[in-house]
């Protein structure tokens, strides 16, 4: 596909369960970002991958959150022991060499009951 | 640190009215500035950008000028349409932050026929 894709589009889970969210960036893009968009708020940076460099995890809100990027392409964001405050839309973006323009996926809406 | 402050919404206009959404920023370094749009049920899309002072970004009738002296990047459109109803986000990226963006909280625009 031409754009960033994310799956699932919606995820409803029970408090305490683990969830995995997937992002497929635009082919050839070396940079990948995860953001969180809570209801009525702007985007909160979570984590950033650039090539083979160590990821910038400075935005992860707790150690329950982790992410990996395999083969420099697909990324998975994992939230362990989900809490109700984790409910949000999780957005993935990718960018090319210049890294100044990010292309966003449609997001995964996570609801923790 | 970096921050973006944009006009609080919601904003409601009649079709063909003039639109201004204010955005001001603080940044360490020399940021690139962006406006993103999020239509109902869709992901963020880049609307326009400007990478240096006095540049004007434009797209779909929207314009914004990078004003370093006032640290502003206000979004304008001369005549809005119902189809412009969406949430608009102002954002900045400083290359020293390796491309991760700082977003405003978003401004919801509703255009009535």
């Amino acid at each position: 596909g031409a754009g960033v894709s994310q799956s699932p589009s919606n995820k409803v889970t029970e408090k305490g369960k683990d969830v995995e969210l997937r992002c497929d960036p635009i082919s050839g893009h070396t940079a990948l970002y995860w953001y969180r968009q809570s209801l009525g708020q702007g985007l909160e940076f979570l984590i950033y991958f650039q090539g083979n460099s160590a990821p910038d995890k400075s935005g992860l809100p707790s150690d329950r959150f982790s992410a990996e990027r395999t083969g420099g392409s697909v990324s998975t964001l994992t939230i362990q022991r989900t809490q109700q405050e984790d409910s949000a839309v999780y957005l993935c973006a990718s960018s090319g060499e210049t890294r100044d323009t990010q292309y966003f996926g449609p997001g995964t809406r996570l609801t923790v009951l | 640190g970096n921050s973006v402050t944009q006009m609080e919404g919601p904003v409601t206009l009649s079709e063909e009215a003039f639109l201004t959404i204010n955005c001001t920023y603080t940044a360490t370094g020399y940021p690139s500035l962006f406006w993103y749009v999020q239509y109902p049920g869709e992901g963020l899309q880049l609307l326009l950008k400007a990478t240096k002072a006095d540049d004007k970004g434009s797209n779909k009738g929207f314009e914004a000028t990078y004003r370093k002296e006032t640290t502003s990047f206000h979004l304008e459109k001369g005549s809005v349409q119902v189809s412009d109803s969406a949430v608009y986000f102002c954002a900045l990226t400083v290359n020293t932050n390796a491309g991760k963006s700082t977003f405003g909280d978003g401004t919801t625009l509703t255009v009535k026929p």
Side-chain angles (χ1 to χ4, degrees), chain A residues 31 33 35 37 40-45 48 50 56 58-59 89 91 98-107, chain B residues 32 34 36 38 41-46 49 51 87 89 92-93 95 97-106:
Chain A
Y33 312 80
Y35 295 88
Q37 183 179 23
Q41 297 187 13
L43 274 69
E44 174 189 5
F45 166 78
Y48 158 69
Q50 172 60 46
D56 176 354
S58 60
V89 176
L91 293 168
T98 59
R99 295 180 292 170
D100 70 341
T101 298
Q102 297 176 26
Y103 298 87
F104 283 82
Chain B
S32 295
F34 305 83
Y36 287 87
Q38 187 174 33
E42 298 184 14
L44 269 75
Q45 303 174 25
L46 178 65
K49 69 177 184 179
T51 57
V87 182
F89 291 91
L92 68 83
T93 301
N95 262 341
N97 280 349
K100 69 184 182 188
S101 294
T102 301
F103 287 81
D105 288 342

Side-chain angles (χ1 to χ4, degrees), chain A residues 1 8 21 40-41 45 49 55 57 69 80 108:
Chain A
L21 312 179
Q41 297 187 13
F45 166 78
F49 295 90
K57 304 179 182 179
R69 188 179 185 192
Q80 296 178 310
T108 293

